[in-house]
Amino acid sequence: MRTGEPLPAVGDVLAALATGLWRWDNAAELVTLDAEAARLLGLPAQPTTVTEAGARARFHPVDWNEVKPVVQLAASEGTIAELRMRVMDGQGHVLRTVRSRSKPTYDRETASYQLVGTLQEVSEPPPGAAARTPVTGDWRRSREAFLLDAGRALAEARSTEEVLRVAAGLSMPGFSPDGLAVFGVQGDRLTLIGHHGHHAGGDEGPFSAMSVETDYPAAEVVRTGRAVYLSSPKHYQERYPAAWPLARGFGRQSWAFLPLIVAGRTLGAWMAAFTYRVSFTPDERSVLTTVARMLAQALSRAGAAESERELTDGLQRSMLPNLGPQIPGMSVAARYVPTGGGLQVGGDWYDMIPLPTGRFALVIGDVQGHDVRAAGLMGQLRIALRAYASEGHRPDAVLSRASRFLCGITHDEEVADLRFATCLYVEVDPATGVLDIARAGHPDPAIRMADGTVLTRPTAGGLPLGIDPDADYPTTRLALEPGETMLICTDGLIETGGHDLDTGWLRIRKILESHDGEESHLEELADALVQAVHGPSSHHTTGPLVDRREDDIAVLLLCRQGKGCGCGDQPATPTSVRRTVLTVAQAEPERVAGARHQLRELLHDWASEDQVDSAVLLVSEMVTNVLVHTDADALLVAEMTGDAGSRRMRVEVTDCSDALPHKRQPGELASSGRGLMLMELLADAWGVDPRGEGKSIWFELYEPDGSGDPEVTPTT
């Protein structure tokens, strides 16, 4: 070629170099070839256009599968897509190996691309390089196995620390970084989330709060969303001269900085550093890009989970109170265990409220639902109850006002989202042990007596809060004797694990009875109750539990210190007194059945079943007579004293009527008049004692010894 002559046409030059041109329109599924490109694909040496399927038939299927990921990677990085592909003849034999270099454009909306590039025949790669090319399946299989393992490990990581630990342990096929760092973005600052393998040789301080406008590779990746590959220290120094002094001290030879992108938003950057030179071939960049995507997803999930846990802990700390100062003569323990789903904060709560009278109130409740809405209503209701109690209202008034309050904040909303709450409110006199209890649809309390006997205490109750703004809540008065412990809880403790109210109480009873005062303190008993359902837990918190959580659990234990109680510093010794008190109102005849049940629980270990049946029959007769023949309520007091095998049971029923009962001779068809006759036949001793206002009818039974003969001296 003489000086000054025009340059030859590009096509002529490429043809002279045995290089063909091709255009691939993925959307139209057409491939356009010039004559040389057609020849290289085994077609007649003339310009032609073939379908995508026709072009695919000319290549090895394994190599064809590499096209799309390489094109996507090159399009995202703005680089050249380079492929080495085997051309096949019609009999499945390899004709030649060609190299394609093209500039892709990728449409994310249609997931289609266009390629304009060259095809050139190349020789087969040497054996040492075969593992690094798409031509052989060895490296590909190793890569796929690595990505599967890496994806599984990153998906199982539950915290940012775990994600970084997994990322640090990844062993990539053929090349593995020995140092990594993960950068995040806060405002206009680049933050160092975590790193591995960079402890020696350099100072990581400058990287911890760097401006995103800094001339540093990670900052550029965050700004542009494109990866940066630096294959040598010289390359690093030339491209980022200002940042090179910071990186030089770590002694690395190659670096890859990749964006961490989730849902189209760049969350940060990942740096993989190598102590040896890495050329960052398309295959290596493909692996790094895939790992970066998985790492971004894992960090996003871990960050969301950590934010959720932080919110949960904050809600729990703000909603669950401290139990306050030590109460002379009494001890209190509490536990809260949320359900396993969502924010792990539901509608269960407990509270302890100092009252103006010098007493204190224990409150436990359960707002319907296990979601954020339930937690929010619970917080509002707890504040309202505390306010009403602090004003000095009695238990019934506190619950009435709370029900009206809950109706007011829920009935203005859609009917589909109406909520109610169950609640148990106990006003405690620490000096006397008197408990004034008001109940709104909540489970009754249970009492563990000093000798280990457990009774559920039936109490008067009303509708759950939030259903009827004018609902009434009667008050029941009980007395907590020295050495006794009261349990109040939400239904999650009772019914979790497939139990109903009856079988759930049996489970609780066994736990309460098995923790005797000599071995157990109140905190240990609270742990035992929760562990029976969920396994180990910690105080007022939610440690890792088994996945049987079906409902929130709130538990409150109140112990009046004394003999037989393991909650104080006094040594626990067995007691020989067992006592229960129950009031049956004129308007509550259904509580006669509760009185029979209470007496059976009190006599659960009595030696003679016949005597137990007799006592239950007599109590039923005595209480019913009060309701039928007087206008007063019946007060039942049952007390058992003595040691096993020689105990005495005394039952008194007191009313306010002055009319004394007298024996009658009822006819065969008479419907009444047999009460005192039964007393004479079944009781070991009985009597009627006038009181200042009213009277008391009593009977006694004496437990037989091994021979069946009672050894207890009757009392009158």
Side-chain angles (χ1 to χ4, degrees):
M1 181 185 300
R2 293 190 179 92
T3 302
E5 290 185 358
L7 294 172
V10 174
D12 295 338
V13 174
L14 293 177
L17 298 175
T19 301
L21 291 173
W22 70 321
R23 178 192 299 272
W24 183 0
D25 188 345
N26 177 244
E29 298 185 350
L30 294 175
V31 179
T32 302
L33 308 166
D34 69 359
E36 182 61 21
R39 183 190 70 80
L40 291 174
L41 295 188
L43 299 173
Q46 59 186 20
T48 185
T49 298
V50 298
T51 64
E52 185 177 303
R56 181 170 62 245
R58 311 304 301 179
F59 293 105
H60 194 290
V62 173
D63 301 340
W64 182 267
N65 290 335
E66 290 290 325
V67 173
K68 188 172 183 179
V70 171
V71 169
Q72 290 177 340
L73 176 64
S76 65
E77 295 180 350
T79 57
I80 299 297
E82 184 172 340
L83 290 160
R84 187 185 295 267
M85 307 173 72
R86 288 166 290 183
V87 179
M88 313 297 291
D89 62 14
Q91 287 72 41
H93 301 119
V94 177
L95 285 175
R96 60 182 60 88
T97 299
V98 298
R99 182 180 66 177
S100 167
R101 302 185 79 247
S102 58
K103 180 68 174 178
T105 57
Y106 186 73
D107 189 342
R108 295 183 182 276
E109 294 184 359
T110 62
S112 61
Y113 45 84
Q114 286 191 357
L115 298 177
V116 177
T118 61
L119 283 177
Q120 187 178 35
E121 184 173 4
V122 294
S123 60
E124 287 290 341
R132 290 291 186 90
T133 68
V135 176
T136 64
D138 295 339
W139 189 87
R140 183 178 298 107
R141 283 190 293 270
S142 298
R143 183 190 65 180
E144 291 173 353
F146 159 74
L147 292 177
L148 285 174
D149 291 340
R152 186 182 303 110
L154 289 171
E156 293 174 354
R158 291 292 179 265
S159 67
T160 300
E161 183 179 356
E162 289 183 22
V163 172
L164 295 176
R165 186 165 57 249
V166 170
L170 296 179
S171 179
M172 301 180 188
F175 70 113
S176 293
D178 72 327
L180 65 86
V182 175
F183 299 90
V185 182
Q186 288 185 355
D188 61 348
R189 312 299 293 180
L190 198 67
T191 62
L192 184 62
I193 296 177
H195 61 87
H196 175 77
H198 293 283
H199 297 289
D203 179 14
E204 65 246 19
F207 303 96
S208 59
M210 182 182 294
S211 171
V212 294
E213 300 300 326
T214 304
D215 187 25
Y216 178 66
E220 179 179 325
V221 167
V222 170
R223 292 196 306 267
T224 64
R226 293 180 178 274
V228 172
Y229 298 100
L230 304 170
S231 57
S232 67
K234 181 180 179 182
H235 188 189
Y236 196 128
Q237 185 176 10
E238 290 175 352
R239 187 166 175 180
Y240 301 98
W244 170 243
L246 298 176
R248 179 173 50 196
F250 294 101
R252 300 300 192 272
Q253 297 296 312
S254 297
W255 300 261
F257 293 83
L258 297 104
L260 299 174
I261 300 174
V262 176
R265 186 168 67 94
T266 302
L267 304 180
W270 170 47
M271 182 196 73
F274 303 82
T275 54
Y276 53 89
R277 298 288 180 91
V278 179
S279 59
F280 298 115
T281 65
D283 291 325
E284 292 166 341
R285 296 201 307 271
S286 176
V287 171
L288 289 168
T289 301
T290 304
V291 172
R293 290 171 181 167
M294 293 190 297
L295 182 59
Q297 293 289 341
L299 288 171
S300 177
R301 288 193 301 269
E306 288 170 347
S307 298
E308 183 177 298
R309 286 193 292 270
E310 184 177 353
L311 176 59
T312 297
D313 293 341
L315 283 172
Q316 289 179 9
R317 285 192 297 268
S318 64
M319 292 181 177
L320 296 181
N322 294 322
L323 293 181
Q326 188 72 22
I327 304 165
M330 287 192 165
S331 297
V332 182
R335 295 292 183 272
Y336 171 71
V337 182
T339 186
L343 286 178
Q344 296 195 0
V345 176
D348 290 24
W349 88 96
Y350 64 83
D351 205 350
M352 180 176 175
I353 308 170
L355 301 178
T357 59
R359 300 182 176 188
F360 66 93
L362 296 178
V363 188
I364 195 165
D366 182 2
V367 176
Q368 175 197 10
H370 309 291
D371 51 13
V372 176
R373 172 71 176 144
L377 285 176
M378 176 265 285
Q380 296 178 75
L381 184 58
R382 189 173 74 84
I383 293 172
L385 280 162
R386 178 172 278 268
Y388 297 140
S390 299
E391 289 175 353
H393 297 294
R394 296 291 296 162
D396 55 338
V398 171
L399 290 193
S400 295
R401 285 166 167 76
S403 183
R404 193 174 299 114
F405 168 80
L406 190 57
C407 285
I409 64 175
T410 59
H411 278 63
D412 293 337
E413 303 174 358
E414 298 181 2
V415 176
D417 196 34
L418 291 180
R419 302 292 181 102
F420 61 85
T422 65
C423 184
L424 188 70
Y425 183 97
V426 184
E427 184 176 311
V428 183
D429 185 346
T432 63
V434 171
L435 312 175
D436 290 322
I437 302 173
R439 186 170 60 86
H442 203 82
D444 285 309
I447 303 293
R448 181 189 184 277
M449 296 183 171
D451 68 347
T453 301
V454 178
L455 303 179
T456 54
R457 293 289 197 182
T459 56
L463 292 172
L465 306 179
I467 294 179
D468 181 4
D470 299 319
D472 292 326
Y473 298 95
T475 301
T476 301
R477 173 165 289 186
L478 301 176
L480 196 64
E481 302 292 341
E484 292 185 344
T485 300
M486 179 183 68
L487 162 71
I488 56 177
C489 64
T490 56
D491 57 0
L493 182 69
I494 304 171
E495 296 180 330
T496 294
H499 289 272
D500 56 23
L501 285 174
D502 292 332
T503 60
W505 272 123
L506 289 176
R507 175 177 59 183
I508 292 173
R509 179 193 303 278
K510 291 179 181 177
I511 299 167
L512 292 173
E513 290 176 345
S514 64
H515 281 70
D516 58 81
E518 293 184 357
E519 299 178 358
S520 305
H521 294 281
L522 208 59
E523 295 292 342
E524 295 172 350
L525 179 56
D527 284 335
L529 289 166
V530 173
Q531 290 171 12
V533 180
H534 290 310
S537 71
S538 57
H539 300 182
H540 318 296
T541 186
T542 60
L545 305 174
V546 297
D547 292 329
R548 290 190 292 140
R549 285 169 280 177
E550 303 164 10
D551 197 0
D552 301 337
I553 291 176
V555 178
L556 268 173
L557 291 169
L558 173 67
C559 178
R560 188 178 181 194
Q561 296 172 5
K563 291 184 178 181
C565 176
C567 63
D569 296 331
Q570 304 178 31
T573 57
T575 181
S576 58
V577 178
R578 189 184 300 175
R579 187 170 182 266
T580 185
V581 180
L582 180 67
T583 300
V584 180
Q586 283 283 334
E588 298 176 314
E590 68 277 2
R591 298 196 68 190
V592 176
R596 293 194 293 264
H597 180 69
Q598 282 277 293
L599 192 61
R600 283 198 179 274
E601 288 188 330
L602 196 70
L603 299 173
H604 68 93
D605 57 350
W606 192 266
S608 172
E609 287 293 334
D610 290 340
Q611 284 187 320
V612 173
D613 293 337
S614 298
V616 170
L617 175 61
L618 292 178
V619 164
S620 182
E621 184 71 22
M622 294 162 65
V623 174
T624 302
N625 281 340
V626 172
L627 300 183
V628 171
H629 298 294
T630 73
D631 295 327
D633 298 341
L635 175 63
L636 169 66
V637 179
E639 185 176 82
M640 183 170 62
T641 58
D643 298 324
S646 60
R647 291 176 290 190
R648 180 185 67 202
M649 163 58 63
R650 182 182 176 90
V651 178
E652 293 186 10
V653 175
T654 304
D655 62 72
C656 297
S657 173
D658 293 329
L660 298 178
H662 57 277
K663 287 194 294 184
R664 295 157 51 187
Q665 298 294 329
E668 183 177 346
L669 300 179
S671 59
S672 63
R674 297 184 176 85
L676 297 185
M677 294 178 59
L678 290 173
M679 202 87 72
E680 280 193 341
L681 288 173
L682 301 177
D684 292 319
W686 68 277
V688 179
D689 296 337
R691 299 291 172 89
E693 290 184 0
K695 61 183 179 298
S696 173
I697 306 174
W698 58 271
F699 72 86
E700 291 183 350
L701 294 174
Y702 310 129
E703 187 177 30
D705 58 11
S707 63
D709 298 327
E711 294 185 352
V712 180
T713 302
T715 62
T716 58

